[in-house]
Amino acid sequence: MADLTQNTQLVNVSNLADVRKEFLSGGALTAGMLVYLNASNQWVAFDSDVGAGAGANVRDTRGVILHNATANQPAAVCVSDPNFGIGATLAANTVIYGSKNAGAVTQDVPGSANYPVIVGLPLSATRINLFPLASGIPI
């Protein structure tokens, strides 16, 4: 899977974004990483090849962290936004998925034994409709 190369300074939200600020980071996170809220109510990096096996499930809240954070720091995470700046250059007519690499996003279809999470759909070369959605079924 080829992950998107993100410029953390270009990760940004629109005025319609749903941003959660009430939980802490569960580890070192970088702006633009796909995260989920774990059982301890901390944001941790999502990883599609261990998604369900690592405690993530289809009911977990997912989103994209908006800034760099270390463990136990306050975190601002966008969980939905119809015009989100992902910080990467996107190909048209594709879907953005969570990667098998922790926190990364990709435009490649997840491989076998992965738990696919659709992150969103491109609106332009740099913006997506962010709506993290998981099937919970490995492919």
Side-chain angles (χ1 to χ4, degrees):
M1 235 186 267
D3 296 334
L4 293 175
T5 300
Q6 292 172 285
N7 180 336
T8 59
Q9 295 178 342
L10 298 177
V11 174
N12 60 68
V13 297
S14 75
N15 61 341
L16 298 173
D18 180 0
V19 177
R20 307 286 172 89
K21 297 180 180 178
E22 63 266 37
F23 303 108
L24 300 176
S25 168
L29 300 173
T30 304
M33 290 180 83
L34 180 63
V35 295
Y36 74 95
L37 195 58
N38 69 10
S40 300
N41 285 327
Q42 291 185 313
W43 295 110
V44 294
F46 177 82
D47 184 338
S48 72
D49 62 352
V50 294
N57 66 57
V58 296
R59 293 176 301 282
D60 288 333
T61 301
R62 292 177 177 82
V64 175
I65 190 160
L66 300 176
H67 57 86
N68 297 344
T70 58
N72 299 312
Q73 281 190 322
V77 174
C78 183
V79 295
S80 69
D81 186 350
N83 193 19
F84 183 77
I86 194 72
T89 302
L90 308 168
N93 303 316
T94 60
V95 175
I96 310 299
Y97 296 97
S99 171
K100 67 178 181 177
N101 299 311
V105 292
T106 181
Q107 288 187 282
D108 293 336
V109 177
S112 62
N114 285 275
Y115 292 81
V117 169
I118 294 173
V119 177
L121 300 173
L123 301 170
S124 70
T126 59
R127 302 196 74 80
I128 69 170
N129 181 355
L130 176 71
F131 59 93
L133 176 66
S135 73
I137 300 169
I139 56 173

